[in-house]
C-alpha cells in the first residue's frame, strides 16, 4: 500500500470514530449520519434517509468484513484491510459516495456547489483549507460547481491502495502538494 493511501485511511478512521473511543462502533455511524444530515437542512427527507441508510450499511459492511477478532468493534489495524482488498467494499463505497453526493445536490441538477460541498465535508470533520483544496482539485466549472460523478469517483479513489497524487490527498492535513507531486509516480 502506498504511503499516501495509508495517510488517507488513517485520517478517515480518526474522523469516523465520531465518539472518540479509539475504535469504530455502531454509535459512530449514527452520530456521523446525524451530523451530515444536519449539515444539509435544505435536502429532502428521502436524501437524508438515504445517507443515514448508507452510513448504517457502511457500518454493517465493515463489521461483517473486517471484525477479525469478533469483538463487535473495528480497530485501526482491522480497518486498514478495507484498502488492501477494495473489491470487497466496492458496492458499499459506491452507495455511500452516491448517497453523500446526492445530499450535496438537493436541486438534483447533477452539480454540487462549493458551499454545499464544504458543509458536508466539514460535518464529517475534514479541515476547511483541505476541503477547499480538494474542491479546487476536482476542477470546478466556471460557476464553481463540481459534477456529482466527479465527487463520487473521488471518494472511490480515496480508498484505492495504489493511488497517489489524487485530489483526495488534499484532505490529508499537512500533506504539502509539492511533496505529493514529487513522491507520486502516476501522472
Ligand atoms: Ca468509536
Ligand atoms: Ca474487532
Ligand atoms: Ca445542484
Amino acid at each position: 500500500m502506498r504511503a499516501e493511501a495509508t495517510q488517507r485511511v488513517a485520517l478517515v478512521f480518526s474522523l469516523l470514530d465520531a465518539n472518540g473511543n479509539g475504535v469504530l462502533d455502531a454509535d459512530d455511524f449514527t452520530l456521523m449520519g446525524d451530523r451530515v444530515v444536519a449539515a444539509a437542512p435544505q435536502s429532502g427527507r428521502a436524501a437524508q434517509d438515504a445517507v443515514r441508510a448508507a452510513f448504517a450499511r457502511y457500518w454493517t459492511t465493515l463489521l461483517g468484513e473486517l471484525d477479525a477478532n469478533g469483538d463487535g468493534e473495528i480497530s485501526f489495524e482491522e480497518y486498514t484491510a478495507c484498502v488492501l482488498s477494495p473489491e470487497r467494499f466496492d458496492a458499499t463505497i459506491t452507495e455511500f459516495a452516491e448517497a453523500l453526493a446526492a445530499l450535496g445536490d438537493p436541486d438534483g441538477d447533477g452539480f454540487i456547489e462549493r458551499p454545499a460541498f464544504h458543509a458536508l465535508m466539514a460535518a464529517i470533520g475534514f479541515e476547511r483549507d483541505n476541503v477547499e483544496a480538494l474542491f479546487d482539485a476536482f476542477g470546478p466549472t466556471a460557476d464553481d460547481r463540481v459534477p456529482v460523478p466527479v465527487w463520487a469517483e473521488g471518494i472511490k479513489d480515496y480508498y484505492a491502495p495504489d493511488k497517489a497524487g489524487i485530489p483526495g490527498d488534499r484532505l490529508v492535513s499537512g500533506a504539502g502538494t509539492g511533496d505529493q507531486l514529487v513522491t507520486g509516480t502516476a501522472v
Side-chain angles (χ1 to χ4, degrees):
M1 180 158 61
R2 297 190 66 106
E4 290 87 345
T6 304
Q7 289 180 317
R8 294 195 299 264
V9 171
L11 172 62
V12 83
F13 181 87
S14 71
L15 297 180
L16 286 175
D17 179 20
N19 64 8
N21 68 348
V23 295
L24 301 187
D25 51 78
D27 187 36
D28 293 327
F29 290 79
T30 305
L31 285 169
M32 192 61 82
D34 290 344
R35 271 163 49 180
V36 169
V37 165
Q42 76 281 25
S43 292
R45 181 61 188 267
Q48 296 180 351
D49 287 347
V51 100
R52 286 187 205 276
F55 271 111
R57 180 179 169 189
Y58 194 175
W59 167 243
T60 302
T61 302
L62 292 182
L63 192 63
E65 295 284 344
L66 299 179
D67 186 18
N69 68 357
D71 66 354
E73 302 171 337
I74 306 296
S75 66
F76 178 66
E77 291 69 28
E78 289 171 334
Y79 186 69
T80 56
C82 75
V83 291
L84 295 175
S85 50
E87 69 282 355
R88 291 153 69 194
F89 300 92
D90 271 357
T92 296
I93 288 177
T94 297
E95 178 189 326
F96 178 73
E98 290 175 352
L100 192 60
L103 203 59
D105 179 25
D107 60 6
D109 68 353
F111 289 90
I112 298 169
E113 284 80 22
R114 186 183 292 262
F117 183 78
H118 182 266
L120 290 174
M121 295 296 275
I124 293 172
F126 294 106
E127 292 181 20
R128 168 181 279 275
D129 288 352
N130 295 341
V131 170
E132 300 297 343
L134 174 62
F135 195 84
D136 290 337
F138 281 148
T141 60
D143 54 356
D144 213 26
R145 303 186 300 168
V146 165
V148 166
V150 170
W151 188 18
E153 280 303 310
I155 294 173
K156 289 187 244 180
D157 282 351
Y158 188 95
Y159 289 95
D162 57 345
K163 298 234 177 178
I166 59 170
D169 287 327
R170 304 296 200 288
L171 291 174
V172 179
S173 183
T177 52
D179 292 341
Q180 297 292 314
L181 292 174
V182 170
T183 54
T185 54
V187 175

